[in-house]
Amino acid sequence: MSSKSKKLILIQRVLIWTLYFFSGFLLYFKKGILPSVLITFSRIIFPLSVFWLQIRIKKRTNFLPIDSKMTTSQLWFNLLPVIASLFTVIFSLTNGFLYILGKLINS
């Protein structure tokens, strides 16, 4: 890979993580726009999703390491963090965008 593409990947990752951490900041320190059940769920899972995503990115493994030899418990053990993290990303980013949109409209 060329150094230009490595710099582009680095910039993309920094922007994505900045956006995600800003959404987490809004999740914890500002009044949530989404229903309180979704905010509470996101507040609980947000730190876990950050660590889970970092582990997956660093190891460069599949996000869903599933094969046909897995037992049901192994399958759920691999699926639940993925599903919870996916929902947390969606809820926290939606809350962040709605917060910013609300600030822009009310300005």
Side-chain angles (χ1 to χ4, degrees):
M1 256 198 295
S2 68
S3 64
K4 187 175 181 179
S5 65
K6 286 183 182 180
K7 288 180 184 178
L8 184 61
I9 290 172
L10 179 65
I11 291 171
Q12 288 174 345
R13 283 190 180 173
V14 167
L15 288 175
I16 290 170
W17 280 112
T18 303
L19 179 63
Y20 192 53
F21 284 128
F22 177 71
S23 296
F25 173 79
L26 293 176
L27 197 64
Y28 283 101
F29 296 109
K30 300 292 182 185
K31 187 175 184 311
I33 306 295
L34 297 175
S36 64
V37 173
L38 300 179
I39 296 294
T40 304
F41 172 81
S42 298
R43 284 179 180 164
I44 293 169
I45 303 296
F46 184 83
L48 300 173
S49 71
V50 171
F51 293 125
W52 182 84
L53 287 170
Q54 279 293 80
I55 289 169
R56 293 295 182 187
I57 290 171
K58 187 170 184 165
K59 287 186 178 181
R60 297 186 188 267
T61 59
N62 295 335
F63 281 120
L64 289 173
I66 298 172
D67 63 14
S68 61
K69 297 175 185 169
M70 289 182 151
T71 64
T72 303
S73 61
Q74 289 173 327
L75 182 65
W76 279 112
F77 184 77
N78 283 323
L79 282 179
L80 287 178
V82 173
I83 294 168
S85 295
L86 180 64
F87 282 140
T88 302
V89 168
I90 292 169
F91 295 153
S92 64
L93 290 177
T94 302
N95 187 56
F97 286 133
L98 291 175
Y99 178 82
I100 291 170
L101 188 63
K103 289 294 182 181
L104 290 175
I105 291 172
N106 291 333
S107 295

